[in-house]
Amino acid sequence: MRECEGLTDALLYVIQTALGSSEIDSKTVENCVCILRNLSYRLAAETSHSQQGGSEELDGLLCDTGGKDAESSGCWGKKKKKKKGHDQWDGVGPFPELAEPPKGIQMLWHPTIVKPYLTLLSECSNPDTLEGAAGALQNLAAGSWKWSVYIRAAVRKEKGLPILVELLRIDNDRVVCAVATALRNMALDIRNKELIDIVPKS
């Protein structure tokens, strides 16, 4: 399905059009979000480097976000110099690798997809849509893939962590489960973990 030309663009267009309108709770939006959630599963493993825009797997970036110890040693115990440039993007300033706007399948994992998901999570009342949006962020933020790091930083930049924490109070077990797992993945970023710890939860 990811290879279907125009599919991702069409799904996102439907969602973007519904934001801020009465259609946000519709079955149409719910179905679009759930499809995007499924398309977002195991992206790093199931897409090629050429589809990913030529990006390589992370080496030192996750270590750089882990504190003082991480700064002095690499992931495998060897000392590494900190990377410079877009590989250290942390949610401040322009998104990386934007020589051309993302299109097609690339829109599934580009950090710009975070904002519509967060808008759904803050404005929608359909529990199935909430579960789908949280699940999509959960999938995108998982693991050490380069774009997963960017997604975690983008959620922080868009002030999405308090939105997720607030949804832990909702009276729907499936939504709470999806949100809790999304927060777990967001906390792989040490800055996110610190912010999650200080967000009021009662």
Side-chain angles (χ1 to χ4, degrees):
M1 283 183 68
R2 294 188 187 113
E3 306 299 329
C4 182
E5 186 176 353
L7 176 61
T8 304
D9 308 68
L11 294 170
L12 286 170
Y13 176 79
V14 171
I15 292 172
Q16 293 276 14
T17 303
L19 296 179
S21 76
S22 59
E23 291 297 310
I24 196 169
D25 291 320
S26 69
K27 191 71 176 178
T28 300
V29 171
E30 174 192 324
N31 289 338
C32 289
V33 171
C34 290
I35 293 170
L36 286 170
R37 177 187 188 177
N38 292 336
L39 293 177
S40 300
Y41 182 66
R42 288 178 55 83
L43 276 172
E46 296 178 2
T47 55
S48 66
H49 284 287
S50 60
Q51 288 174 318
Q52 296 169 19
S55 61
E56 299 177 352
E57 291 296 319
L58 285 171
D59 44 18
L61 178 56
L62 278 183
C63 297
D64 287 344
T65 61
K68 292 182 179 179
D69 292 339
E71 291 178 8
S72 60
S73 62
C75 293
W76 310 109
K78 295 179 180 179
K79 285 190 175 182
K80 286 188 177 182
K81 292 182 179 179
K82 275 195 172 183
K83 284 190 164 188
K84 293 183 180 180
H86 69 267
D87 276 351
Q88 282 187 311
W89 183 80
D90 61 357
V92 179
F95 290 126
E97 298 188 5
L98 264 179
E100 296 182 4
K103 58 183 178 180
I105 190 173
Q106 294 176 348
M107 297 174 72
L108 287 173
W109 60 73
H110 196 272
T112 51
I113 201 171
V114 164
K115 194 164 187 176
Y117 284 146
L118 292 177
T119 302
L120 285 171
L121 290 170
S122 60
E123 297 181 3
C124 182
S125 59
N126 181 335
D128 293 323
T129 301
L130 292 174
E131 181 189 0
L137 288 177
Q138 167 195 329
N139 291 340
L140 292 171
S144 59
W145 189 34
K146 177 178 186 175
W147 291 103
S148 297
V149 174
Y150 292 154
I151 290 292
R152 293 194 287 266
V155 170
R156 182 173 66 248
K157 178 182 180 181
E158 299 292 346
K159 297 179 172 55
L161 297 175
I163 294 172
L164 289 167
V165 170
E166 180 66 24
L167 283 170
L168 293 174
R169 306 174 186 175
I170 197 170
D171 187 19
N172 185 294
D173 290 345
R174 290 185 305 159
V175 174
V176 170
C177 182
V179 169
T181 310
L183 281 168
R184 181 196 65 188
N185 290 345
M186 297 301 165
L188 292 172
D189 181 306
I190 190 65
R191 299 180 195 177
N192 285 352
K193 183 178 184 301
E194 291 168 351
L195 289 171
I196 291 168
D197 287 342
I198 64 174
V199 173
K201 301 175 181 64
S202 60

